[in-house]
Amino acid sequence: MLKQSPAAITAQGDLRGRTRRLVVVSNRVAAGAAATSGGLAVALSEALTMSGGLWFGWSGNISEDCHGTPPSIERVNGYTATTVDLSPGEHEGYYSGFSNECLWPLLHYRLDLVKADRQQMEIYFLVNERLAKMLVPMLRKDDLIWAHDYHLIPFGACLRRQNVRSKIGFFLHIPFPPPEIFAAVPDHEKLARSLFAYDLVGFQTPRDRENFIRYAREHFAARLTGEGALKVAGRTVKVDAFPIGIDVVQFAGEARRNCDHPDLAGPTEANFKRIVGVDRLDYSKGLPERLMAIETLFETSPEYSKAIQYLQIATPTREGISAYEAIDAELDRIIGQVNGRFGTFGWSPVAYIKRRMPRNLLAGLLRRCHVGLISPLRDGMNLVAKEYVAAQDPLDPGVLILSQFAGAAEQLKEALIVNPYDTEGTAGAIRRALEMPKVERQARHAMLLDKVRAEDVDWWRQQYLDALIGELPGEVIEDQPRAASGTAAWPAGIDQGLRA
Ligand code: ADP
C-alpha cells in the first residue's frame, strides 16, 4: 500500500543509502487486529509494515506497578509494537484530565468546557517524560521519530533532554485554535515552547498552521523564514499543513462488496431515502444541533413523513468524563423528542445505533445512504466525510453535506457546505440534497472523489515524511534563545544534541 515510502525514506544523501527506521509514537498503539479500525491506525500500521519500524505508546491498560514493569514488545506484520501501562494516577492526570478535559476542549474552541488543573498538567508533562525515557534505550541514531497528537505535545522536548539527535516530527490531528483561545490555558507558553523542539510541526489545515504561527509571533516573537519555517526560541522549525486522507481503494472496495450485505437488510429504498451521520459520541460533532435541523426539516416539510429517515451511528467514547455523559444524555433526549413528535406506526424519523460497527458494514451502509450529513462544530479533519465520498456509486452517488468548521471543508468544496449553528440553513441543505438532480450529484461527486483520491492516506504520509526527511534549517541554531515575555525561557537542556 505504501506507494513510494521506502524510496523516500532512503533517498536523501545524508542517509547514506540506508533505510531509516520509522518510529511512530502515539497515545495508543493499535497494532494487529485493532489496526483494522480507524483511518489513522490503518495508516500508521501500513507505514510501519513497509519500513519495519517501531510503534510505541500506551497499551490501554492501567496497572498499579507499571513503573517497575518493562515495556511489552510484540512483533506484528514486520514491525515492533512496544507498549507501556499507565498507573491509575497517570491515567487520571495525563489522559482523562489534562489531555481530554483541558486540551481537547481548548483545541476545539470550547473554552466553556476547559478544566485547567495545574496538577493534571504536571502529571501530563511527567508522563511524557517517563514515556520518552522508556523509548530512548530502543532508539537508533538514524531513526525518524514521528509523534502524534495532543497527548504528546511535549514528547519531542523530552527526547531532546535525553540527548536524542534524530529528526523528530509532530503531527496534530485536531485543530489549533486562534492564539486568544490557546492562551487561555495556564502555562500555555510551557506547552507551546515544547513544540519548538521538533524539526517539523504538522497541522491538518493551513488555518491551523496560521493560528499557530500567529501564536508563536505574539508570544515568542517568532519570525517566518522565506521557506515558511519559524525562527523561534533559537531554532528554526518547519511548520506546514498535511491534510490526512483515507485508503480510498480499500474503503471503496469494502463499500462495493458489502452494500448488499444481509446484515444491512431493511426497508426497501426505492421510495425511501436515508440520511446518515457517523460520529464518535463527542460534543465537538454537533449532534444536538444536527438533530434540531432534522426536527426543523420535519416541521417545515411534512411531505417527508415516512419518506426519509435520519440514521445516527455514534460510538460512545471517553466514558466517565462528565461532558461526554452529558452529550450522551442530551442526544438520547433529543432523538426521543423528534421520534415522539413525528414518528408514526411502523416508521421513526430517526434511527439510532449507539455502538461501533464493523468497518466493512459501515462502508456498505454509507454507499446505500442518499445523504451524508457531517456537521461538526469543530473538527481537525473528519475522515467520515472522505469515507462517505469514497463509498458512493459514481453513477448514482449520494450528496455530502459538510460543516464549514470541519478541516475537510477546506478540501471538499463541492460538498453542500453548512454552518451547523444555523438550524434553518442546515435543514435547507438537507432538502436540497434530497431533491438534487442526478446530473448535479454526479458532477459534485466526481470532483470530490478526485480530491479524496489524490490526497489519500499514502499521499499524506508521504508528504509528511518527505518534509521531515528533507533539509531542515532547524539544524542550524542561528539565534540565541529568546522570548517575548520573561516567562518564556527554554527548559534546561531542551536543545541539547541538536548539533551534529
Ligand atoms: P474522530 O477522529 O474525531 O473520531 P474522524 O471522522 O476523523 O473523527 O474519524 C473517525 C473514524 O472512526 C472514521 O474512520 C470512522 O469511520 C470511524 N467510526 C466512527 N464511528 C464509528 C462507528 N460507530 N462504527 C465504526 N466506525 C466508526
Side-chain angles (χ1 to χ4, degrees), residues 318-468:
R318 301 173 196 168
E319 287 146 289
I321 297 179
S322 59
Y324 287 81
E325 287 166 0
I327 190 70
D328 185 359
E330 171 66 358
L331 197 59
D332 284 352
R333 187 196 66 74
I334 192 164
I335 289 174
Q337 174 181 308
V338 179
N339 279 340
R341 268 187 85 186
F342 299 103
T344 62
F345 183 70
W347 171 75
S348 300
V350 181
Y352 186 22
I353 299 174
K354 200 196 297 190
R355 60 182 171 274
R356 194 158 191 90
M357 276 186 81
R359 206 159 165 72
N360 62 333
L361 283 189
L362 182 69
L365 178 80
L366 289 181
R367 189 176 178 93
R368 282 171 57 156
C369 292
H370 300 79
V371 180
L373 183 50
I374 317 287
S375 57
L377 303 180
R378 192 63 60 179
D379 215 330
M381 177 52 57
N382 198 292
L383 294 179
V384 177
K386 297 184 174 183
E387 290 167 354
Y388 182 77
V389 171
Q392 297 309 299
D393 174 0
L395 298 177
D396 190 12
V399 180
L400 176 65
I401 299 178
L402 184 58
S403 162
Q404 67 189 79
F405 302 121
E410 294 197 29
Q411 292 170 294
L412 305 183
K413 295 189 192 311
E414 292 78 18
L416 296 184
I417 303 293
V418 294
N419 171 359
Y421 296 97
D422 175 4
T423 307
E424 279 80 20
T426 306
I430 300 171
R431 206 175 292 117
R432 189 174 162 202
L434 288 166
E435 307 302 331
M436 190 180 282
K438 191 192 241 185
V439 61
E440 184 180 348
R441 285 191 277 121
Q442 286 172 335
R444 285 177 182 272
H445 176 258
M447 288 186 276
L448 290 170
L449 188 60
D450 278 353
K451 186 55 73 73
V452 171
R453 264 199 198 124
E455 297 181 352
D456 69 355
V457 69
D458 287 340
W459 173 88
W460 168 74
R461 187 171 55 217
Q462 193 62 57
Q463 294 286 309
Y464 187 91
L465 291 179
D466 282 354
L468 181 58

Side-chain angles (χ1 to χ4, degrees), residues 65 95 161 237 263 269 293 373 410 413 426 443:
D65 57 353
Y95 179 73
R161 277 195 286 276
V237 183
D263 288 358
E269 282 155 16
L373 183 50
E410 294 197 29
K413 295 189 192 311
T426 306

Side-chain angles (χ1 to χ4, degrees), residues 37-40 104 108 149 173-174 204 244 246 251 277-282 284-285 312-318 353-359 362 366 374 378-387:
S37 60
L40 174 66
W104 178 271
H108 284 88
D149 227 1
H173 290 258
I174 66 176
Q204 293 277 22
I244 192 169
I246 62 163
F251 202 81
V278 181
D279 310 80
R280 268 185 317 98
L281 226 175
D282 192 296
S284 64
K285 302 294 181 182
Q312 176 66 59
I313 303 173
T315 327
T317 180
R318 301 173 196 168
I353 299 174
K354 200 196 297 190
R355 60 182 171 274
R356 194 158 191 90
M357 276 186 81
R359 206 159 165 72
L362 182 69
L366 289 181
I374 317 287
R378 192 63 60 179
D379 215 330
M381 177 52 57
N382 198 292
L383 294 179
V384 177
K386 297 184 174 183
E387 290 167 354

Side-chain angles (χ1 to χ4, degrees), residues 252-265:
E254 290 291 5
R256 272 194 308 276
R257 284 189 291 279
N258 291 288
C259 62
D260 294 320
H261 196 288
D263 288 358
L264 298 178

